[in-house]
Amino acid sequence: MLNIQDILETNRMIQENNLDVRTITLGISLRDCCHSDPAVFCDNIYRKITSTAADLVRVGNDIEDEYGVPIINKRISVTPIAIVAESCKTDSYVEVAHALDRAAKKVGVNFIGGFSALVPKGYTRGDRILINSIPQALAETERVCASVNLASTSAGINMDCVKELGQVIKMTAELTKDRDALGCAKLVIFANAVEDNPFMAGAFHGVGESETAINVGVSGPGVVKRALEEARGADLGTVAEIIKKTAFKITRVGQLVAREASKRLNVPFGIIDLSLAPTPAVGDSVAHILEEMGLESCGAPGTTAALAMLNDAVKKGGLMASSFVGGLSGAFIPVSEDAGMIAAVEKGALSLEKLEAMTCVCSVGLDMIAVPGDISAATISGIIADEAAIGMINNKTTAVRIIPVPGKSLGDYVEFGGLLGHSPLLKVNTFKCDDFISRGGRIPAPLRSLTN
Amino acid sequence: MKVVITVVGRDKVGIIAKVSAVLADKGVNILNINQNILDGYFNMVMIAELDGSKVPLREIQKALAEKGGEMGLEIKAQHEDIFMLMHKV
């Protein structure tokens, strides 16, 4: 039997603490769309996406109305384009990106992910074409998101690709400099990428997935912070318990939405991604949870420990609430998308180096980091290599979404708008790593025992 | 389908009567009402059955929201599952 307190608590979470379902992402396999003629291929993928996802937005809106819980985004992920476009007789996939963009606009989703290549060990012809197409594709399209997986615990790090992507990111920034290098906000570089991630910009529909799948990303940093406000001074074991219970409740909402979306769209339920995803809105910040635990500012000593506990407790609480869990699952720390992170950078409490340490214990990596436009491609590659190494050695997903903003320097701000937020530029260590990056080659896969 | 109707706002005369009238008009059967006043704020939770109603939930939500607007109250109607699932293992 329902009791009034539970009902009022649920509605308070939604109305006052920004509880929402961050995304329903429909994964679609494009493996049956291959064709040697690029025009036919583009036509195939457009038809498949627009027919499969025709009802996605309507169903998402219906569920939102019926249950009274906001569903912020409806999105699509597709099979990595480097794989399915490989048999096309062409040397550029920019047209493919346009076809994806048209399909996204037709069905009304705000992002489509999967302009991707998976190259931890090396390239195929399709991988090379895709990576070369990224800058122009992201500059000319609005809703297409790109990602490259260049390292894994089982394969090592593809350092040739690390080097190349430093240049790709610089070029993407240059081609979108009129929009504060917005193109780079749609490009994620992964180590140990997962195949069922519902979150953008890194979502793609992995080759091990079913024909279609519904993956749901939940959110609710504000709900966790509110719960902790009622336990000020309690010991950390108690704090972990509160986070677990709150994560359970948040995830239950995601499970309900995923189940309904799956039933109404007649698409198998894939996974719930147990993530705390912040937004720039006040009261929706992961940094503020860490501060509620007792830090003067996110970035202070103790931040990594607090984040580690938060991340672990969210998973423990969420696991019980859902039949299938996957994706990235953990607290996100995207700087420009989190009001508390932005404030911490502004007051000098949070540095790139501290963020790097934080990525060792949470999902996902150096995310939405705006840096001065004059940093070199090799320095960007060095940052990617460091992050990939953390992922490779620790057997976890890590990612880099870095935005070198042309014409801007320390003290300047960037404004991406909407969920992508705004941010002051972060300071980058400018000692050079050019000779290390220019070596190229591959860092071998690490030991998986003797791991001290 | 069972829905949970929550009414929140400043207390005044006739809230239950007017909300119930909207529901009766739409053929919605009220199963349970729970109400209290906290610091002058009216909190009411109704559980109602929609199966006998020919009106879609969306229209009922709209009629309730309009009535809420007139009376300075926030009135929501949600499928009960969101509450059932969140608070039960």
Side-chain angles (χ1 to χ4, degrees):
Chain A
M1 188 60 199
L2 289 166
N3 82 54
I4 188 165
Q5 295 310 328
D6 288 346
I7 290 170
L8 296 176
E9 182 192 357
T10 301
N11 282 346
R12 192 193 65 217
M13 285 180 178
I14 295 169
Q15 282 157 354
E16 294 172 26
N17 308 135
N18 297 310
L19 171 64
D20 56 49
V21 169
R22 187 51 47 83
T23 180
I24 299 179
T25 302
L26 173 60
I28 305 174
S29 167
L30 300 181
R31 282 156 62 179
D32 56 354
C33 296
C34 301
H35 200 280
S36 57
D37 180 344
V40 176
F41 172 70
C42 287
D43 199 38
N44 287 349
I45 63 172
Y46 179 84
R47 280 169 201 261
K48 177 140 191 200
I49 294 165
T50 52
S51 59
T52 311
D55 296 328
L56 174 63
V57 172
R58 182 185 58 76
V59 163
N61 291 342
D62 284 352
I63 295 171
E64 175 169 346
D65 287 346
E66 213 165 286
Y67 293 93
V69 61
I71 300 169
I72 307 300
N73 299 299
K74 295 91 190 173
R75 292 168 168 172
I76 294 171
S77 63
V78 297
T79 315
I81 292 298
I83 298 171
V84 285
E86 189 148 27
S87 50
C88 292
K89 291 193 168 44
T90 177
D91 56 5
S92 164
Y93 295 157
V94 174
E95 275 313 307
V96 180
H98 281 288
L100 292 172
D101 205 36
R102 284 196 301 275
K105 286 173 180 162
K106 168 77 178 169
V107 298
V109 297
N110 60 356
F111 281 121
I112 184 165
F115 197 74
S116 308
L118 314 176
V119 294
K121 243 176 178 170
Y123 302 93
T124 65
R125 183 177 158 275
D127 295 328
R128 284 197 187 282
I129 297 173
L130 184 120
I131 290 169
N132 288 335
S133 305
I134 286 174
Q136 196 186 344
L138 293 182
E140 292 180 6
T141 61
E142 186 191 332
R143 304 187 188 190
V144 174
C145 293
S147 58
V148 177
N149 185 42
L150 52 61
S152 72
T153 302
S154 55
I157 305 175
N158 179 345
M159 290 298 290
D160 290 329
C161 190
V162 168
K163 178 183 169 190
E164 191 177 351
L165 281 171
Q167 294 153 359
V168 166
I169 288 172
K170 287 285 281 184
M171 205 181 303
T172 305
E174 189 58 34
L175 291 181
T176 53
K177 65 181 173 191
D178 56 327
R179 288 160 278 164
D180 275 346
L182 179 65
C184 298
K186 298 182 285 177
L187 171 58
V188 183
I189 316 303
F190 277 116
N192 289 321
V194 293
E195 301 204 331
D196 51 8
N197 166 22
F199 285 103
M200 296 297 169
F204 61 85
H205 188 69
V207 290
E209 297 289 305
S210 54
E211 177 71 18
T212 51
I214 286 287
N215 298 321
V216 166
V218 297
S219 184
V223 182
V224 175
K225 179 174 184 298
R226 164 70 196 243
L228 293 182
E229 282 169 10
E230 286 167 18
R232 285 190 177 145
D235 72 88
L236 291 169
T238 308
V239 170
E241 272 308 302
I242 293 169
I243 296 168
K244 277 161 62 180
K245 285 182 183 152
T246 311
F248 176 87
K249 292 175 183 174
I250 294 170
T251 308
R252 279 300 235 206
V253 176
Q255 168 81 12
L256 168 66
V257 167
R259 192 189 71 193
E260 282 301 311
S262 164
K263 193 165 76 187
R264 296 178 193 197
L265 289 164
N266 194 25
V267 167
F269 165 42
I271 56 94
I272 300 287
D273 191 316
L274 305 177
S275 289
L276 286 181
T279 69
V282 173
D284 209 14
S285 158
V286 169
H288 287 156
I289 299 175
L290 305 178
E291 290 165 7
E292 183 60 43
M293 285 190 208
L295 302 171
E296 182 186 355
S297 169
C298 176
T303 298
T304 310
L307 180 59
M309 193 186 80
L310 170 66
N311 200 55
D312 186 64
V314 164
K315 287 183 215 176
K316 286 172 176 162
L319 275 169
M320 262 290 279
S322 173
S323 21
F324 298 100
V325 169
L328 298 170
S329 284
F332 292 154
I333 51 168
V335 175
S336 73
E337 298 174 5
D338 185 312
M341 297 279 172
I342 296 166
V345 172
E346 280 170 345
K347 59 189 163 196
L350 184 60
S351 66
L352 194 58
E353 286 72 19
K354 188 64 180 177
L355 281 161
E356 187 179 315
M358 290 161 72
T359 68
C360 300
V361 298
C362 81
S363 165
V364 132
L366 292 173
D367 198 11
M368 291 303 287
I369 311 279
V371 296
D374 61 358
I375 72 166
S376 72
T379 296
I380 293 174
S381 295
I383 292 169
I384 293 171
D386 285 345
E387 202 55 38
I390 290 170
M392 173 182 78
I393 296 290
N394 294 302
N395 201 18
K396 75 183 285 292
T397 308
T398 51
V400 173
R401 186 159 51 147
I402 190 167
I403 303 138
V405 189
K408 293 205 170 174
S409 49
L410 279 184
D412 289 337
Y413 272 78
V414 285
E415 177 68 55
F416 301 115
L419 283 178
L420 295 173
H422 60 96
S423 173
L425 267 53
L426 274 84
K427 186 174 182 301
V428 177
N429 184 326
T430 49
F431 284 91
K432 292 190 187 333
C433 60
D434 297 50
D435 291 346
F436 175 68
I437 294 301
S438 65
R439 285 171 184 268
R442 186 148 57 95
I443 294 182
L447 270 178
R448 297 174 90 169
S449 59
L450 309 171
T451 52
N452 288 333
Chain B
M1 175 190 1
K2 285 185 193 162
V3 292
V4 173
I5 297 157
T6 46
V7 183
V8 180
R10 282 222 169 270
D11 191 25
K12 61 184 70 169
V13 174
I15 296 178
I16 296 181
K18 287 182 180 167
V19 173
S20 305
V22 172
L23 295 174
D25 182 50
K26 304 288 178 197
V28 177
N29 187 29
I30 297 168
L31 302 177
N32 183 305
I33 300 182
N34 199 326
Q35 177 235 301
N36 61 27
I37 314 285
L38 278 175
D39 301 330
Y41 271 86
F42 180 90
N43 276 290
M44 178 168 75
V45 174
M46 283 178 164
I47 317 284
E49 175 64 74
L50 248 64
D51 288 352
S53 169
K54 303 232 176 332
V55 185
L57 175 59
R58 198 168 280 187
E59 262 182 51
I60 295 166
Q61 288 171 325
K62 193 161 162 263
L64 287 170
E66 276 169 12
K67 183 56 71 183
E70 285 169 24
M71 301 180 73
L73 300 165
E74 189 171 348
I75 309 182
K76 293 173 64 156
Q78 295 155 274
H79 195 298
E80 67 165 351
D81 277 1
I82 186 165
F83 307 103
M84 296 292 273
L85 283 171
M86 183 183 269
H87 298 283
K88 298 216 170 0
V89 176

